[in-house]
Coordinates of all heavy atoms in Angstrom, one line a residue:
M1 N 7.1 -12.9 11.4 CA 8.2 -12.6 10.6 C 7.9 -12.9 9.1 O 7.3 -13.9 8.8 CB 9.5 -13.4 11.0 CG 10.7 -13.2 10.2 SD 12.2 -14.0 10.7 CE 11.8 -15.7 10.9
K2 N 8.4 -12.0 8.2 CA 8.2 -12.2 6.8 C 9.5 -12.6 6.2 O 10.5 -12.0 6.5 CB 7.7 -11.0 6.1 CG 6.2 -10.7 6.4 CD 5.7 -9.6 5.5 CE 4.3 -9.4 5.8 NZ 3.4 -9.9 4.8
L3 N 9.5 -13.6 5.3 CA 10.7 -13.9 4.5 C 10.5 -13.3 3.1 O 9.4 -13.5 2.5 CB 10.9 -15.4 4.4 CG 11.1 -16.1 5.7 CD1 11.1 -17.6 5.5 CD2 12.4 -15.7 6.4
I4 N 11.4 -12.5 2.7 CA 11.3 -11.8 1.4 C 12.4 -12.3 0.4 O 13.6 -12.2 0.7 CB 11.4 -10.3 1.6 CG1 10.4 -9.8 2.5 CG2 11.3 -9.6 0.2 CD1 10.5 -8.3 2.9
A5 N 11.9 -12.9 -0.7 CA 12.8 -13.4 -1.7 C 13.2 -12.2 -2.7 O 12.3 -11.7 -3.3 CB 12.1 -14.5 -2.5
H6 N 14.4 -11.9 -2.7 CA 14.9 -10.8 -3.6 C 14.8 -11.2 -5.0 O 15.5 -12.1 -5.5 CB 16.3 -10.4 -3.2 CG 16.8 -9.2 -3.9 ND1 17.9 -9.3 -4.7 CD2 16.4 -7.9 -3.9 CE1 18.2 -8.1 -5.2 NE2 17.3 -7.2 -4.7
R7 N 13.9 -10.6 -5.8 CA 13.7 -10.9 -7.2 C 13.2 -12.3 -7.4 O 13.4 -12.8 -8.5 CB 14.9 -10.5 -8.1 CG 15.3 -9.1 -8.0 CD 16.5 -8.8 -8.8 NE 17.0 -7.5 -8.5 CZ 18.3 -7.2 -8.5 NH1 19.2 -8.1 -8.9 NH2 18.7 -6.0 -8.2
G8 N 12.8 -13.0 -6.4 CA 12.3 -14.3 -6.5 C 13.3 -15.4 -6.0 O 13.0 -16.6 -5.9
N9 N 14.5 -14.9 -5.7 CA 15.5 -15.9 -5.2 C 15.2 -16.3 -3.8 O 15.1 -15.5 -2.9 CB 16.9 -15.2 -5.2 CG 17.4 -14.9 -6.6 OD1 17.4 -15.8 -7.5 ND2 17.9 -13.7 -6.8
T10 N 15.2 -17.6 -3.6 CA 14.9 -18.2 -2.3 C 16.1 -19.0 -1.7 O 16.1 -19.3 -0.5 CB 13.7 -19.2 -2.4 OG1 14.0 -20.2 -3.3 CG2 12.4 -18.5 -2.8
N11 N 17.1 -19.2 -2.6 CA 18.2 -20.0 -2.1 C 19.4 -19.6 -2.9 O 20.0 -20.4 -3.6 CB 17.9 -21.5 -2.2 CG 19.0 -22.3 -1.5 OD1 19.7 -21.9 -0.6 ND2 19.1 -23.6 -1.9
G12 N 19.8 -18.4 -2.8 CA 21.0 -17.9 -3.6 C 20.6 -17.2 -4.9 O 19.4 -17.3 -5.3
I13 N 21.5 -16.6 -5.5 CA 21.3 -15.8 -6.7 C 21.2 -16.7 -7.9 O 22.1 -17.5 -8.1 CB 22.3 -14.7 -6.9 CG1 22.3 -13.7 -5.7 CG2 22.2 -14.0 -8.2 CD1 23.5 -12.8 -5.7
V14 N 20.1 -16.5 -8.7 CA 20.0 -17.2 -10.0 C 19.6 -16.1 -11.0 O 18.4 -15.9 -11.3 CB 19.0 -18.3 -9.9 CG1 18.9 -19.1 -11.2 CG2 19.2 -19.3 -8.8
L15 N 20.6 -15.5 -11.5 CA 20.4 -14.3 -12.4 C 19.5 -14.5 -13.5 O 18.6 -13.6 -13.8 CB 21.7 -13.7 -12.9 CG 22.7 -13.1 -11.9 CD1 24.0 -12.8 -12.5 CD2 22.1 -11.9 -11.2
E16 N 19.6 -15.6 -14.2 CA 18.7 -15.9 -15.4 C 17.2 -16.0 -15.1 O 16.4 -16.0 -16.0 CB 19.2 -17.1 -16.2 CG 19.2 -18.4 -15.4 CD 20.5 -18.7 -14.7 OE1 21.3 -17.8 -14.4 OE2 20.7 -19.9 -14.4
Y17 N 16.9 -16.2 -13.8 CA 15.5 -16.3 -13.4 C 14.9 -15.1 -12.7 O 13.7 -15.0 -12.5 CB 15.2 -17.6 -12.6 CG 15.4 -18.8 -13.4 CD1 16.3 -19.8 -12.9 CD2 14.7 -19.1 -14.5 CE1 16.5 -21.0 -13.6 CE2 14.9 -20.3 -15.2 CZ 15.8 -21.2 -14.7 OH 16.0 -22.4 -15.4
E18 N 15.8 -14.2 -12.2 CA 15.3 -13.1 -11.4 C 14.2 -12.3 -12.1 O 14.3 -12.0 -13.3 CB 16.5 -12.2 -11.0 CG 17.4 -12.8 -10.1 CD 18.5 -11.9 -9.6 OE1 18.8 -10.8 -10.2 OE2 19.2 -12.2 -8.6
N19 N 13.2 -12.0 -11.3 CA 12.0 -11.2 -11.8 C 11.2 -11.9 -12.8 O 10.2 -11.3 -13.3 CB 12.5 -9.8 -12.4 CG 13.0 -8.9 -11.3 OD1 12.2 -8.6 -10.3 ND2 14.2 -8.4 -11.4
K20 N 11.5 -13.1 -13.2 CA 10.7 -13.8 -14.1 C 9.3 -14.2 -13.5 O 9.3 -14.7 -12.3 CB 11.4 -15.1 -14.6 CG 10.9 -15.7 -15.8 CD 11.9 -16.8 -16.3 CE 11.5 -17.3 -17.6 NZ 12.5 -18.3 -18.1
P21 N 8.2 -13.9 -14.1 CA 6.9 -14.2 -13.4 C 6.8 -15.6 -12.8 O 6.3 -15.7 -11.6 CB 5.9 -13.9 -14.5 CG 6.6 -12.9 -15.4 CD 8.0 -13.4 -15.4
D22 N 7.1 -16.6 -13.5 CA 7.0 -18.0 -12.9 C 7.9 -18.2 -11.7 O 7.5 -18.9 -10.8 CB 7.3 -19.0 -14.0 CG 6.3 -19.1 -15.1 OD1 5.2 -18.6 -14.9 OD2 6.6 -19.7 -16.1
Y23 N 9.1 -17.6 -11.7 CA 10.0 -17.6 -10.6 C 9.5 -16.9 -9.4 O 9.6 -17.4 -8.2 CB 11.3 -17.0 -11.1 CG 12.5 -17.3 -10.2 CD1 13.0 -18.6 -9.9 CD2 13.3 -16.3 -9.7 CE1 14.1 -18.9 -9.2 CE2 14.5 -16.5 -9.0 CZ 14.9 -17.8 -8.7 OH 16.0 -18.0 -8.0
V24 N 8.9 -15.7 -9.6 CA 8.2 -15.0 -8.5 C 7.1 -15.8 -8.0 O 6.9 -15.9 -6.7 CB 7.8 -13.6 -9.1 CG1 6.9 -12.9 -8.1 CG2 8.9 -12.7 -9.5
E25 N 6.3 -16.4 -8.8 CA 5.1 -17.2 -8.4 C 5.6 -18.4 -7.5 O 5.0 -18.7 -6.5 CB 4.4 -17.7 -9.6 CG 3.1 -18.4 -9.3 CD 2.0 -17.4 -8.8 OE1 2.0 -16.3 -9.1 OE2 1.2 -17.9 -7.9
N26 N 6.7 -19.0 -8.0 CA 7.2 -20.1 -7.2 C 7.6 -19.7 -5.8 O 7.3 -20.4 -4.8 CB 8.4 -20.8 -8.0 CG 8.9 -22.0 -7.3 OD1 8.1 -23.0 -7.1 ND2 10.2 -22.0 -6.9
A27 N 8.3 -18.6 -5.7 CA 8.7 -18.1 -4.4 C 7.5 -17.8 -3.5 O 7.4 -18.2 -2.3 CB 9.5 -16.9 -4.5
I28 N 6.4 -17.2 -4.1 CA 5.2 -16.9 -3.3 C 4.6 -18.3 -2.8 O 4.2 -18.4 -1.7 CB 4.2 -16.1 -4.1 CG1 4.8 -14.7 -4.3 CG2 2.9 -16.1 -3.5 CD1 4.0 -13.8 -5.3
N29 N 4.5 -19.2 -3.7 CA 4.0 -20.5 -3.4 C 4.7 -21.3 -2.3 O 4.2 -22.1 -1.6 CB 3.8 -21.4 -4.6 CG 2.8 -21.0 -5.6 OD1 1.9 -20.2 -5.2 ND2 2.9 -21.3 -6.8
M30 N 6.0 -20.9 -2.1 CA 6.9 -21.5 -1.1 C 6.7 -20.7 0.2 O 7.3 -21.1 1.2 CB 8.3 -21.5 -1.5 CG 8.6 -22.4 -2.7 SD 10.3 -22.2 -3.3 CE 11.3 -22.6 -1.9
G31 N 5.9 -19.7 0.2 CA 5.6 -18.9 1.5 C 6.4 -17.6 1.6 O 6.3 -17.0 2.7
F32 N 7.1 -17.2 0.6 CA 7.9 -16.0 0.6 C 7.0 -14.8 0.1 O 6.2 -15.0 -0.7 CB 9.1 -16.1 -0.3 CG 10.2 -17.0 0.2 CD1 10.1 -18.4 0.0 CD2 11.3 -16.5 0.9 CE1 11.1 -19.2 0.4 CE2 12.3 -17.3 1.4 CZ 12.2 -18.7 1.1
D33 N 7.4 -13.6 0.6 CA 7.0 -12.4 -0.1 C 8.1 -12.2 -1.1 O 9.2 -12.8 -1.0 CB 6.9 -11.2 0.8 CG 5.6 -11.1 1.6 OD1 4.8 -12.0 1.5 OD2 5.4 -10.1 2.3
V34 N 7.9 -11.4 -2.1 CA 9.0 -11.1 -3.1 C 9.1 -9.7 -3.4 O 8.2 -8.9 -3.6 CB 8.6 -11.9 -4.5 CG1 9.6 -11.6 -5.5 CG2 8.4 -13.4 -4.2
E35 N 10.4 -9.2 -3.3 CA 10.8 -7.9 -3.8 C 11.1 -8.0 -5.3 O 11.9 -8.9 -5.7 CB 12.0 -7.4 -3.0 CG 12.4 -6.0 -3.5 CD 13.3 -5.9 -4.7 OE1 14.0 -6.9 -5.0 OE2 13.4 -4.9 -5.4
L36 N 10.4 -7.2 -6.1 CA 10.7 -7.3 -7.5 C 10.8 -6.0 -8.2 O 10.3 -5.0 -7.6 CB 9.6 -8.2 -8.2 CG 8.2 -7.7 -8.5 CD1 7.5 -8.5 -9.5 CD2 7.5 -7.6 -7.2
D37 N 11.4 -5.9 -9.3 CA 11.7 -4.7 -10.0 C 10.6 -4.5 -11.1 O 10.5 -5.4 -12.0 CB 13.1 -4.7 -10.7 CG 14.1 -5.0 -9.6 OD1 14.2 -4.2 -8.6 OD2 15.0 -5.9 -9.8
V38 N 9.9 -3.4 -11.0 CA 8.8 -3.2 -12.0 C 9.0 -1.8 -12.6 O 9.4 -0.8 -12.0 CB 7.4 -3.2 -11.3 CG1 6.3 -3.1 -12.3 CG2 7.3 -4.5 -10.4
R39 N 8.7 -1.7 -13.9 CA 8.7 -0.5 -14.6 C 7.5 -0.4 -15.6 O 6.9 -1.4 -15.9 CB 10.0 -0.3 -15.4 CG 10.3 -1.3 -16.4 CD 11.7 -1.1 -17.0 NE 12.7 -1.7 -16.2 CZ 13.8 -1.0 -15.7 NH1 14.0 0.2 -16.1 NH2 14.6 -1.6 -14.9
F40 N 7.2 0.8 -15.9 CA 6.1 1.1 -16.8 C 6.7 1.8 -18.1 O 7.4 2.8 -18.0 CB 5.1 2.1 -16.2 CG 3.8 2.3 -16.9 CD1 2.9 1.3 -16.8 CD2 3.5 3.4 -17.5 CE1 1.6 1.4 -17.4 CE2 2.3 3.6 -18.2 CZ 1.3 2.6 -18.1
K41 N 6.4 1.2 -19.2 CA 7.0 1.7 -20.5 C 6.0 1.5 -21.6 O 5.4 0.4 -21.8 CB 8.3 0.9 -20.8 CG 9.0 1.5 -22.0 CD 10.3 0.8 -22.3 CE 10.9 1.3 -23.6 NZ 12.1 0.7 -24.0
D42 N 5.8 2.5 -22.4 CA 4.9 2.5 -23.5 C 3.5 1.9 -23.2 O 2.9 1.1 -23.9 CB 5.5 1.6 -24.7 CG 6.8 2.2 -25.2 OD1 7.0 3.4 -25.2 OD2 7.7 1.4 -25.5
G43 N 3.0 2.3 -22.0 CA 1.7 1.9 -21.5 C 1.6 0.5 -21.0 O 0.5 0.0 -20.8
K44 N 2.7 -0.2 -20.8 CA 2.7 -1.6 -20.4 C 3.6 -1.7 -19.1 O 4.5 -0.9 -18.9 CB 3.3 -2.5 -21.5 CG 2.5 -2.4 -22.7 CD 3.1 -3.3 -23.8 CE 2.3 -3.2 -25.1 NZ 2.9 -4.0 -26.2
L45 N 3.3 -2.8 -18.3 CA 4.1 -3.1 -17.1 C 5.1 -4.2 -17.5 O 4.8 -5.1 -18.2 CB 3.1 -3.6 -16.0 CG 2.1 -2.6 -15.5 CD1 1.1 -3.3 -14.7 CD2 2.8 -1.5 -14.7
F46 N 6.3 -4.0 -16.9 CA 7.4 -5.0 -17.1 C 8.1 -5.3 -15.8 O 8.3 -4.4 -15.0 CB 8.4 -4.5 -18.1 CG 7.9 -4.3 -19.5 CD1 7.3 -3.1 -19.9 CD2 8.0 -5.3 -20.4 CE1 6.9 -2.9 -21.2 CE2 7.5 -5.2 -21.7 CZ 6.9 -4.0 -22.1
L47 N 8.5 -6.5 -15.7 CA 9.5 -6.9 -14.6 C 10.9 -6.9 -15.2 O 11.0 -7.2 -16.4 CB 9.1 -8.3 -14.1 CG 7.7 -8.5 -13.6 CD1 7.6 -9.9 -13.0 CD2 7.3 -7.5 -12.6
G48 N 11.8 -6.5 -14.4 CA 13.2 -6.6 -14.9 C 14.1 -5.6 -14.2 O 13.6 -4.4 -14.0
H49 N 15.3 -6.0 -13.8 CA 16.1 -5.1 -13.0 C 16.7 -3.9 -13.8 O 16.6 -2.8 -13.5 CB 17.2 -5.9 -12.4 CG 18.2 -5.1 -11.6 ND1 17.8 -4.4 -10.4 CD2 19.5 -4.8 -11.7 CE1 18.8 -3.8 -9.9 NE2 19.9 -4.0 -10.7
D50 N 17.5 -4.3 -14.9 CA 18.2 -3.2 -15.7 C 17.4 -2.8 -16.9 O 17.7 -1.7 -17.5 CB 19.5 -3.7 -16.1 CG 20.5 -3.9 -14.9 OD1 20.4 -3.1 -14.0 OD2 21.3 -4.9 -14.9
E51 N 16.4 -3.5 -17.3 CA 15.6 -3.2 -18.5 C 14.3 -3.9 -18.4 O 14.2 -4.9 -17.6 CB 16.4 -3.6 -19.7 CG 16.6 -5.1 -19.8 CD 17.5 -5.5 -21.0 OE1 18.6 -5.0 -21.1 OE2 17.1 -6.4 -21.7
P52 N 13.3 -3.5 -19.2 CA 12.0 -4.2 -19.2 C 12.2 -5.6 -19.9 O 12.6 -5.6 -21.0 CB 11.1 -3.3 -20.0 CG 12.0 -2.3 -20.7 CD 13.3 -2.3 -20.0
Q53 N 12.0 -6.6 -19.1 CA 12.2 -8.0 -19.7 C 10.9 -8.8 -19.8 O 10.7 -9.5 -20.8 CB 13.2 -8.8 -18.7 CG 14.6 -8.2 -18.7 CD 15.4 -9.0 -17.8 OE1 15.3 -8.9 -16.6 NE2 16.2 -9.9 -18.4
Y54 N 10.1 -8.8 -18.8 CA 8.9 -9.7 -18.7 C 7.7 -8.9 -18.6 O 7.4 -8.2 -17.6 CB 9.0 -10.7 -17.6 CG 10.4 -11.4 -17.5 CD1 11.3 -11.1 -16.6 CD2 10.7 -12.4 -18.5 CE1 12.5 -11.7 -16.5 CE2 11.9 -13.0 -18.4 CZ 12.8 -12.7 -17.5 OH 14.0 -13.4 -17.4
E55 N 6.8 -8.9 -19.6 CA 5.6 -8.1 -19.6 C 4.6 -8.8 -18.7 O 4.4 -10.0 -18.7 CB 5.0 -7.9 -21.0 CG 3.8 -7.0 -21.0 CD 3.3 -6.7 -22.4 OE1 3.9 -7.0 -23.4 OE2 2.1 -6.2 -22.4
V56 N 4.0 -8.0 -17.8 CA 2.9 -8.5 -17.0 C 1.7 -7.5 -17.1 O 1.9 -6.4 -17.6 CB 3.3 -8.7 -15.5 CG1 4.3 -9.8 -15.3 CG2 3.8 -7.4 -14.9
D57 N 0.6 -7.9 -16.6 CA -0.5 -6.9 -16.6 C -0.9 -6.5 -15.2 O -0.4 -7.1 -14.2 CB -1.7 -7.4 -17.4 CG -2.3 -8.7 -16.9 OD1 -2.1 -9.0 -15.7 OD2 -3.0 -9.4 -17.6
D58 N -1.7 -5.5 -15.1 CA -2.1 -5.0 -13.7 C -2.8 -6.1 -12.9 O -2.7 -6.2 -11.7 CB -2.9 -3.7 -13.8 CG -4.2 -3.9 -14.6 OD1 -4.3 -4.7 -15.5 OD2 -5.1 -3.0 -14.4
K59 N -3.5 -7.0 -13.6 CA -4.2 -8.1 -12.9 C -3.1 -9.0 -12.2 O -3.3 -9.4 -11.1 CB -5.1 -8.9 -13.9 CG -5.8 -10.0 -13.2 CD -6.7 -10.8 -14.2 CE -7.3 -12.0 -13.5 NZ -8.0 -12.8 -14.5
W60 N -2.1 -9.3 -12.9 CA -1.0 -10.1 -12.4 C -0.5 -9.5 -11.1 O -0.3 -10.2 -10.1 CB 0.1 -10.3 -13.4 CG 1.1 -11.3 -13.0 CD1 1.1 -12.7 -13.3 CD2 2.3 -11.1 -12.2 NE1 2.2 -13.3 -12.7 CE2 3.0 -12.4 -12.0 CE3 2.9 -10.0 -11.6 CZ2 4.2 -12.5 -11.3 CZ3 4.1 -10.2 -10.9 CH2 4.7 -11.4 -10.7
L61 N -0.2 -8.2 -11.1 CA 0.3 -7.5 -9.9 C -0.7 -7.5 -8.8 O -0.4 -7.8 -7.7 CB 0.7 -6.1 -10.3 CG 2.0 -5.9 -11.1 CD1 2.2 -4.4 -11.4 CD2 3.2 -6.4 -10.3
T62 N -2.0 -7.1 -9.1 CA -3.0 -7.0 -8.1 C -3.3 -8.3 -7.4 O -3.6 -8.3 -6.2 CB -4.2 -6.2 -8.6 OG1 -4.8 -6.9 -9.7 CG2 -3.9 -4.8 -8.9
E63 N -3.3 -9.4 -8.2 CA -3.6 -10.7 -7.6 C -2.6 -11.1 -6.6 O -2.8 -12.0 -5.8 CB -3.8 -11.7 -8.7 CG -5.0 -11.6 -9.5 CD -5.1 -12.6 -10.6 OE1 -4.1 -13.3 -11.0 OE2 -6.2 -12.7 -11.2
R64 N -1.4 -10.6 -6.7 CA -0.3 -11.0 -5.8 C 0.2 -9.9 -4.9 O 1.1 -10.0 -4.1 CB 0.9 -11.4 -6.7 CG 0.6 -12.7 -7.5 CD 1.5 -12.8 -8.7 NE 1.1 -14.0 -9.5 CZ 0.1 -14.0 -10.3 NH1 -0.7 -13.0 -10.5 NH2 -0.2 -15.1 -10.9
M65 N -0.6 -8.8 -4.8 CA -0.1 -7.6 -4.1 C 0.2 -7.8 -2.6 O 1.0 -7.1 -2.1 CB -1.0 -6.4 -4.4 CG -2.4 -6.5 -3.7 SD -3.3 -5.0 -4.2 CE -4.7 -5.2 -3.1
D66 N -0.5 -8.7 -2.0 CA -0.2 -8.9 -0.6 C 1.1 -9.6 -0.4 O 1.6 -9.6 0.8 CB -1.3 -9.8 0.0 CG -2.7 -9.1 0.1 OD1 -2.7 -7.9 0.1 OD2 -3.7 -9.8 0.2
N67 N 1.7 -10.1 -1.4 CA 3.0 -10.8 -1.3 C 4.2 -10.1 -2.0 O 5.2 -10.6 -2.1 CB 2.9 -12.2 -1.8 CG 1.9 -13.0 -1.0 OD1 0.8 -13.2 -1.4 ND2 2.3 -13.4 0.2
L68 N 3.9 -8.9 -2.6 CA 4.9 -8.2 -3.4 C 5.4 -6.9 -2.7 O 4.6 -6.2 -2.1 CB 4.4 -7.9 -4.8 CG 3.9 -9.0 -5.7 CD1 3.4 -8.5 -7.0 CD2 5.1 -10.0 -5.9
W69 N 6.7 -6.7 -2.9 CA 7.4 -5.5 -2.5 C 7.9 -4.9 -3.8 O 8.9 -5.4 -4.3 CB 8.5 -5.8 -1.5 CG 8.0 -6.4 -0.2 CD1 7.5 -7.7 0.0 CD2 7.8 -5.8 1.1 NE1 7.1 -7.9 1.3 CE2 7.3 -6.7 2.0 CE3 8.1 -4.5 1.5 CZ2 7.1 -6.4 3.3 CZ3 7.9 -4.2 2.9 CH2 7.4 -5.2 3.7
V70 N 7.2 -3.9 -4.3 CA 7.5 -3.4 -5.6 C 8.6 -2.3 -5.5 O 8.5 -1.3 -4.8 CB 6.3 -2.8 -6.3 CG1 6.6 -2.2 -7.6 CG2 5.2 -3.9 -6.5
H71 N 9.7 -2.5 -6.3 CA 10.7 -1.5 -6.5 C 10.4 -0.8 -7.8 O 10.5 -1.4 -8.9 CB 12.1 -2.2 -6.6 CG 13.2 -1.3 -6.7 ND1 14.5 -1.7 -6.9 CD2 13.3 0.1 -6.8 CE1 15.3 -0.7 -7.0 NE2 14.6 0.4 -7.0
C72 N 9.9 0.4 -7.7 CA 9.6 1.2 -8.8 C 10.9 1.6 -9.5 O 11.7 2.4 -9.0 CB 8.8 2.5 -8.4 SG 7.2 2.2 -7.7
K73 N 11.1 1.1 -10.8 CA 12.3 1.4 -11.5 C 12.3 2.6 -12.4 O 13.3 3.0 -12.9 CB 12.6 0.1 -12.4 CG 12.9 -1.1 -11.6 CD 14.1 -1.0 -10.6 CE 15.4 -1.1 -11.4 NZ 16.6 -1.1 -10.5
N74 N 11.1 3.2 -12.5 CA 11.1 4.5 -13.2 C 9.9 5.4 -12.7 O 9.0 4.9 -12.0 CB 11.0 4.3 -14.7 CG 9.8 3.5 -15.2 OD1 8.9 3.2 -14.5 ND2 9.8 3.2 -16.5
V75 N 10.0 6.6 -13.0 CA 8.9 7.6 -12.5 C 7.6 7.3 -13.2 O 6.5 7.4 -12.5 CB 9.4 9.0 -12.8 CG1 8.3 10.0 -12.5 CG2 10.6 9.4 -12.0
E76 N 7.6 6.8 -14.4 CA 6.4 6.4 -15.1 C 5.6 5.4 -14.3 O 4.3 5.5 -14.2 CB 6.7 5.9 -16.5 CG 7.2 7.0 -17.4 CD 8.7 7.2 -17.3 OE1 9.4 6.5 -16.5 OE2 9.2 8.1 -18.0
L77 N 6.3 4.4 -13.6 CA 5.5 3.4 -12.8 C 4.9 4.1 -11.6 O 3.8 3.8 -11.2 CB 6.4 2.3 -12.4 CG 5.8 1.3 -11.5 CD1 4.6 0.5 -12.3 CD2 6.7 0.3 -10.9
L78 N 5.7 4.9 -11.0 CA 5.2 5.6 -9.8 C 3.9 6.5 -10.1 O 2.9 6.4 -9.4 CB 6.3 6.5 -9.2 CG 5.9 7.3 -7.9 CD1 5.5 6.3 -6.8 CD2 7.0 8.2 -7.5
N79 N 4.0 7.2 -11.2 CA 2.8 7.9 -11.7 C 1.6 7.0 -12.0 O 0.5 7.3 -11.7 CB 3.2 8.8 -12.9 CG 4.1 9.9 -12.5 OD1 4.1 10.4 -11.4 ND2 4.9 10.4 -13.5
W80 N 1.9 5.9 -12.6 CA 0.8 4.9 -13.0 C 0.2 4.4 -11.7 O -1.0 4.3 -11.6 CB 1.4 3.8 -13.8 CG 0.4 2.7 -14.1 CD1 -0.6 2.8 -15.1 CD2 0.1 1.5 -13.4 NE1 -1.3 1.6 -15.1 CE2 -0.9 0.8 -14.1 CE3 0.7 0.9 -12.3 CZ2 -1.4 -0.4 -13.7 CZ3 0.2 -0.3 -11.9 CH2 -0.8 -1.0 -12.6
I81 N 1.0 4.0 -10.7 CA 0.5 3.5 -9.4 C -0.4 4.6 -8.8 O -1.5 4.3 -8.3 CB 1.6 3.1 -8.5 CG1 2.3 1.8 -9.0 CG2 1.1 2.9 -7.1 CD1 3.5 1.4 -8.3
R82 N 0.1 5.8 -8.8 CA -0.7 6.9 -8.1 C -2.0 7.2 -8.8 O -3.0 7.6 -8.2 CB 0.2 8.1 -8.1 CG 1.4 8.0 -7.1 CD 2.3 9.1 -7.2 NE 1.6 10.4 -6.8 CZ 2.1 11.6 -7.1 NH1 3.2 11.7 -7.7 NH2 1.5 12.6 -6.7
S83 N -2.1 6.9 -10.1 CA -3.3 7.1 -10.8 C -4.3 6.0 -10.8 O -5.4 6.2 -11.3 CB -3.0 7.5 -12.3 OG -2.5 6.4 -13.0
T84 N -3.9 4.8 -10.3 CA -4.8 3.7 -10.3 C -5.5 3.5 -9.0 O -5.1 4.0 -8.0 CB -4.1 2.4 -10.8 OG1 -3.0 2.1 -9.9 CG2 -3.7 2.4 -12.2

């Protein structure tokens, strides 16, 4: 069985930390997989539900890919994934 932390939340909603890279990392370190919101804008990757908030790079995503469930928030991200 997999436990999936929605946007990094492991024990209830904490809006101010959702999708924050350190928060996601903490959930993974606790043994969770994480569903997170990712978008591609201006040639960069961002985490964030309603808008691009936290810039990450492709290395950050690929190093954690076994534990991430990526919600593509825009078509540009889907195209970027398909091209890599």
